[in-house]
Amino acid sequence: MRHPLKYKPAITGVGCISAAGINTGEHLVTINQKNRNAQHVPNWLFHTQKKFPVFICPQQALTETGQNLLQSFKLDIGKISIGRTAKLLFSAVAEAIEMSGLKIADLQKKRVGVAIGTTVGCAFNDENYYQAFKQGFNPPLNPVLNYLNSNLAYWLQTVIGVEGPSMVITNACASGADAIGIAASWLASDLCDIAIAGGADELSRIAYNGFIALQLYDHSPCRPFDKDRNGLNLGEGAGIVILEKENRVTEKDKIIGWLLGYGICSDAWHPTAPHPEGQGIVKAVKIAIEEAGDANLKFNLINAHGTATKANDVAETNALAVILNAQRNETPIISTKGITGHTLGAAGAIEAILTLFSLKQETTDGTVGCHEIDPSLKVKPLSEPERVKLTGKIGLSQSLAFGGGNSALIVEAN
Amino acid sequence: MPAVAISSLQALTQQQLDLPADYRKKLRRADEFTKTIINCTYLGLNSAPQLGIVPEKIGLFLGTSFGPLETNFHFLDSLLEDGEGQASPTLFSHSVHNAAAGYLTRLFSINGPAITISSYAWPFLAVLEQAALMLHSGIIDRAIAVSGEMYSPLLEHAGQQLEKSSYKFCKTGAVTWILDKITEKKKENNIIINKIAISYKPCNVATFLTRKGEECIVENENIKISELLSYAYLLTDQIQKKRSSGDKGEFKWCVKAPFGQANIILSF
């Protein structure tokens, strides 16, 4: 039995960037209006002959809020060489810090843990350098140095000038959720006073072609839980939460919500497919409930991983039928990947934030892209036209990953 | 950090690979990074006491600096040579950073948490610390802490350019420690990790690759380090020697580099 947390980590700031918006507010509008910003890969991102939909962020990646924060460190944006993933991350971090009301000078006096999930962000994907090296040339080393400067957690701590535990989690599509859970464990163990946690990933040609090669990619905008769903669409973005020890937050109205529990379990089943009955995610949710310390916990909203691959949506809904049991017909279940695409290492964090804000608004919209629910699913997620009033403040965000990873975050809105 | 017991330690390079036939079959598609990590963990688990812990209570913590980088390049080769739409799905799935962790969970029936982390500094020490936290939280009763790196000609070449020397990137290798909760019996017979403290500081990022200025300090002796995994090999070797010698008492170990410092306090 896992020990329940002595105190709930308070969420005092969040930041979000994806194709659905450059901040959390824009995401909520996009969800409300059920907008889909799916497009083909633009040439400024990378060249491809393939015409599959992607969900991408603005070309500049670094928002005005992000630029302002960087400039406050007297960093010349024109001179620093940071990758697209780092820019997306910093945009989300800047929004989260601003929302939390924390001052950088105060952060620099505290122990600040940084846990960031990513997939593309830890890979060396410079094709020009690689090809030149293979051909026996000595290409300029800038791409290698940029790569060595791209450990997101170390980089972020260095830029902000804070000290504390630091970790990049590379648990594939669950990385962002795991980063938040791990950061919470640092707070609980008093390794830090504040944690900046979440995930970030840019869209890369390698991941794009990898998912196409695996035949997991839909030619059309993705349709989570739909009877005609045919795979995922990749996206890019970042999601960040600021976690603080609740008893150290002096202004209680600053608290957006709480992280009640985190669970993680392995399927030990298949390299890329989930266990068909979702055994791992069932156990992960059970552990998260144990951590929340309330065996009778009821979810008022579930934001599923909902990638729209045939295998994921079946496994996940099978698991939810077990998790919810008698409440299976009364708990709203959605996927937000219809508006963000699958942002890989960022997904778990972005989705936890969207879950929290739907709970705060006491309303959820249905799953964009889901027009006719697959009748074979054991639970019935909300379809696109639906909008439901929520009856409580507790939500579950699920993440499933290559390698058989499963993670669950339970959040409560203030 | 809560104290935990080390029940087994192993270090292995690719040259020492010696997997049983049934594992070789299951790993026929795996890259050398995964095979080496699996072999090392196989040896580590075999030399640890069999405690009958259920799969849900075993956690896996894998730390790496560069992960299966060469497999990533092999996928890129496949993409460049075969063209879009023809790239190898197998290579792609193996190029994902946590692919090795997936193999470990499947081959050793680990149903607890599996966490892969990426750090250019000391990924093995980072996973030891996280494993100890999870053991203490009660979520797991046993932790498998692993670190591995894969030889990379590209990074070796880059290191040589940076250093203007005959810099060598580490050979493919792995280190595995099996960690258990401390029981009264373990207190007497095992090696206990009492503390791990890691701190980082800004540096010239080239040193993450070249390891220039990295050194271990143990019992007033400074030992220079020149390769990526050396700190983990050295720590494992020194603990094994101390255990063999039958020495008792506290053992302090430190690693320093331009990018930070880590201290471990153990007791025998």
Side-chain angles (χ1 to χ4, degrees), chain A residues 92-109:
Chain A
V93 167
E95 185 195 352
I97 290 176
E98 188 176 270
M99 194 183 292
S100 72
L102 291 163
K103 300 282 175 268
I104 296 296
D106 293 334
L107 281 175
Q108 289 170 340
K109 290 176 199 152

Side-chain angles (χ1 to χ4, degrees), chain B residues 6-47:
Chain B
I6 305 172
S7 296
S8 153
L9 313 90
Q10 288 291 331
L12 189 88
T13 62
Q14 187 193 339
Q15 283 72 17
Q16 298 166 306
L17 274 182
D18 184 20
L19 276 162
D22 57 332
Y23 280 87
R24 285 203 297 272
K25 192 178 169 194
K26 288 170 185 164
L27 289 165
R28 66 191 183 283
R29 289 177 168 178
D31 57 25
E32 298 308 315
F33 177 71
T34 296
K35 283 178 185 168
T36 309
I37 283 172
I38 294 281
N39 201 152
C40 192
T41 304
Y42 169 80
L43 296 171
L45 284 168
N46 276 0
S47 56

Side-chain angles (χ1 to χ4, degrees), chain A residues 391-405:
Chain A
T391 55
K393 298 280 190 183
I394 295 174
L396 169 68
S397 182
Q398 299 191 150
S399 297
L400 282 70
F402 273 14

Side-chain angles (χ1 to χ4, degrees), chain A residues 1-3 47-50 122-127 129-131 133-134 137-139 141 144-145 147-151 154 157-158 163-164 166-172 182 185-186 189 191 205-214 262 264-272 283 287 401-403, chain B residues 1 56-57 65-66 69 72-77 79-81 84-85 87-90 92-93 95-98 101-102 105-106 109-120 126-127 129-130 133-134 136-139 153-155 157-158 161-162 198 200-206 208-209 259:
Chain A
M1 178 78 174
R2 187 171 194 178
H3 311 150
H47 291 279
T48 175
Q49 302 298 316
K50 296 285 175 188
C122 64
F124 182 81
N125 288 328
D126 194 297
E127 293 185 32
Y129 183 94
Y130 176 66
Q131 286 186 287
F133 162 73
K134 270 191 77 176
F137 296 112
N138 291 329
L141 288 166
V144 174
L145 293 172
Y147 174 51
L148 294 171
N149 196 30
S150 68
N151 184 280
Y154 176 82
Q157 279 194 321
T158 304
E163 292 181 1
S166 157
M167 191 173 278
V168 166
I169 293 94
T170 52
N171 275 6
I182 285 170
S185 78
W186 295 344
S189 307
L191 287 185
R205 196 169 94 96
I206 289 186
Y208 178 71
N209 278 282
F211 280 97
I212 291 170
L214 284 165
Y262 162 63
I264 173 172
C265 260
S266 305
D267 281 338
W269 175 259
H270 188 272
T272 57
K283 287 174 193 162
I287 291 165
F402 273 14
Chain B
M1 192 209 84
E56 286 80 3
K57 299 295 270 183
S65 292
F66 299 105
L69 189 64
N72 200 38
F73 292 148
H74 294 154
F75 177 72
L76 192 52
D77 287 339
L79 184 58
L80 294 169
E81 288 160 18
E84 289 189 318
S88 162
T90 305
F92 176 65
S93 63
S95 73
V96 179
H97 250 60
N98 71 333
T105 61
R106 293 193 297 282
S109 300
I110 300 163
N111 285 120
I115 293 170
T116 300
I117 72 127
S118 169
S119 166
Y120 294 141
V127 293
E129 188 176 35
Q130 196 58 44
L133 286 182
M134 280 229 181
H136 184 69
S137 77
I139 192 170
L154 182 143
L155 289 178
H157 179 261
Q161 300 293 308
L162 285 165
I198 310 168
Y200 304 103
K201 60 183 182 185
C203 72
N204 174 354
V205 292
F208 285 132
L209 181 61
F259 41 82

Side-chain angles (χ1 to χ4, degrees), chain A residues 1 28 39 78 86 91-92 125 136 161 164 171 199 204 206 211 223 244 263 266 270 292 361 369 407:
Chain A
M1 178 78 174
L28 301 177
Q39 57 180 285
S91 298
N125 288 328
N171 275 6
S204 84
I206 289 186
F211 280 97
R223 294 160 282 182
E244 298 189 56
S266 305
H270 188 272
Q361 293 183 329
S407 301

Side-chain angles (χ1 to χ4, degrees), chain A residues 225-258:
Chain A
F225 306 123
D226 191 276
K227 70 177 180 52
D228 295 324
R229 71 187 181 282
N230 197 27
L232 55 77
N233 300 151
L234 287 182
E236 62 175 6
I240 288 293
V241 299
I242 307 283
L243 298 175
E244 298 189 56
K245 294 175 180 173
E246 188 186 22
N247 55 351
R248 301 275 182 89
V249 181
T250 47
E251 297 170 52
K252 298 295 178 197
D253 58 351
K254 260 181 46 180
I255 296 174
I256 300 162
W258 297 271

